[in-house]
Structures are given as structure tokens and as C-alpha cells.
Amino acid sequence: MTKQTIKAVFFDLDGVLINSEVMHQRITEDFLREERLPIPPERFYLLIGSHKSLNPWPQIFAGIDLPISEEEVRTRLRKYKQVRLAQEDYGSYIFPEVKQVLSKLKEKGLRIACASSSNMAYIQEVLDSGELRGLFDLIVTCDDFQRSKPAPDIYLHCLNHFQLPKQQCIVVEDSEIGIAAGKSAGLTVIARKDTIFHLNQSQADGFIDDLTGLLALL
């Protein structure tokens, strides 16, 4: 990979553009405390980078003696998060360097995509909260594909959309699932370093502390 060859960057959303994983984990911990559920909060790290089509819940609940059914826990958590998320200011969680970096990439003539496992309404709300949506040439969700990350479908779609060879595109991810998706698509994957959730980022091709690190690469 050289500065001259890269023409497009495909960004994951959660954990890359917005520090939402911290937000979601804080809300989940509040829920567990209020419901007095004996589930270790760290179990919910398994949801990071996941899509609704995946099922990490058996691992989350494994060996836990719950006072209510697993289905009821999921239902209550979903309702609790809906209420709490409606009160959140997503813009306050967007990493501070994001808008400047995306603007500089556009000035350099690079094409940029947001390729997320989250639903489109959430993606658009997050991007709008940081006045970012207009900077993207493509915004796409795993909901639009038969297979979600870690399958490569969403990144293969990005390649097809821009009609660029793999060697001219890179992926920026944070989760093991997202990194696997990029690698499965045959792309170079740069990981935004995780220092909180102990994510397995070992398959990434390179690492950055924040998105300003991309400018040195590109």
C-alpha cells in the first residue's frame, strides 16, 4: 500500500467514527444494575461489531442463573435501550477528529464510504448529529445483504460501487468481526486501536490511535 495507490476508504461506524460502544456498554451496565441481573457486564462485549443476524446470546448467558427467562432479559434490555438512546446526544460521542479527517480525505480526492452493521436510521442519525452525512459518497448497512459481517458482502459491495480494484481501497475497523469482513473481501484493514474492550484486532494489517493516523498513511 502506497499513498499514490489508495483511492477509497471504507469506514465502519461504531467504534471508528463514534465512541458508541462506550455509550452502549454504560447503558447496559445501568440496566443490569437496575434489574439486579448477575450477568458480568464484560459478557456484552460480544455484541461489539455484531449484527442482529448473529447470535452471541448463548455465550452471554452461559452458566448464569437468571431470575427471569433469557428472552425476557433481551426484551427488557431492548426496551430499556430504546428509551435511553432516545435521550442521548450522538454528536457528543463522535470522535473529535472525524469531521476534519473526512474533509481532508475528500480534499485529496478520495472516495469514502460508511459500511456499518447498524440499521440505516441509526447510521443516518449519527452522521447527521455530527454533520457528516454529506461527506460520504456511499452509506450502506449490513441489513441490505443476505450475510452480515464477518462475511465480506458489504465490503464487496463497496468495491463494486466504486469500481475500484482491491489494491486501491482500505477498510478502517475496530472489532474482530469487522476486521474479518474486510480481510475476507481481500482488503487491507487498518484497526483503530481498542484500549477498553480487549477486542481481538490481531488480524488487522495496521493500527492507528485515531483517524488522524490515516492522513500519514494516505
Side-chain angles (χ1 to χ4, degrees):
M1 182 181 74
T2 66
K3 294 183 180 181
Q4 291 74 24
T5 61
I6 300 304
K7 295 185 177 180
V9 184
F10 309 150
F11 291 93
D12 178 39
L13 179 67
D14 295 293
V16 172
L17 302 179
I18 179 172
N19 199 17
S20 53
E21 289 159 359
V22 168
M23 175 182 69
H24 284 289
Q25 188 65 20
R26 176 173 52 81
I27 293 172
T28 298
E29 290 179 8
D30 289 346
F31 168 78
L32 294 174
R33 182 171 56 254
E34 291 179 22
E35 292 282 341
R36 298 183 179 181
L37 293 172
I39 308 172
E42 296 79 12
R43 293 277 185 95
F44 289 85
Y45 294 177
L46 292 167
L47 295 175
I48 294 175
S50 185
H51 181 261
K52 62 186 178 183
S53 62
L54 303 177
N55 187 23
W57 291 100
Q59 293 172 269
I60 292 174
F61 293 133
I64 304 295
D65 184 16
L66 295 169
I68 56 177
S69 70
E70 295 178 3
E71 182 179 356
E72 183 66 17
V73 171
R74 294 179 62 176
T75 298
R76 291 188 188 183
L77 176 59
R78 182 173 62 252
K79 292 179 178 179
Y80 184 87
K81 290 186 74 172
Q82 285 175 346
V83 172
R84 287 287 300 271
L85 288 173
Q87 302 168 356
E88 292 288 352
D89 173 16
Y90 292 140
S92 66
Y93 288 94
I94 292 175
F95 290 112
E97 80 281 3
V98 169
K99 189 172 185 178
Q100 181 182 24
V101 170
L102 294 181
S103 297
K104 287 187 176 181
L105 294 180
K106 295 293 290 182
E107 290 172 6
K108 290 174 175 284
L110 274 74
R111 311 297 297 278
I112 57 176
C114 178
S116 172
S117 293
S118 296
N119 67 76
M120 184 58 75
Y122 167 80
I123 295 169
Q124 292 179 344
E125 187 173 358
V126 168
L127 297 181
D128 286 345
S129 71
E131 300 180 341
L132 303 175
R133 201 199 304 199
L135 293 171
F136 286 93
D137 302 293
L138 174 67
I139 300 171
V140 64
T141 167
C142 282
D143 290 348
D144 294 336
F145 304 96
Q146 187 172 11
R147 300 182 301 172
S148 64
K149 300 176 186 179
D153 301 33
I154 193 169
Y155 287 125
L156 294 175
H157 174 80
C158 292
L159 285 168
N160 183 64
H161 177 85
F162 293 119
Q163 291 292 292
L164 290 170
K166 297 175 181 179
Q167 295 79 8
Q168 293 182 348
C169 306
I170 63 171
V171 168
V172 184
E173 279 278 3
D174 68 319
S175 70
E176 181 178 5
I177 291 171
I179 292 169
K183 296 298 293 181
S184 294
L187 292 160
T188 296
V189 180
I190 305 299
R192 182 174 189 134
K193 290 181 184 177
D194 161 56
T195 59
I196 300 173
F197 299 108
H198 313 295
L199 302 178
N200 180 2
Q201 300 180 317
S202 61
Q203 296 306 304
D205 299 291
F207 300 88
I208 53 175
D209 293 315
D210 58 54
L211 295 193
T212 57
L214 280 179
L215 300 178
L217 297 175
L218 305 176

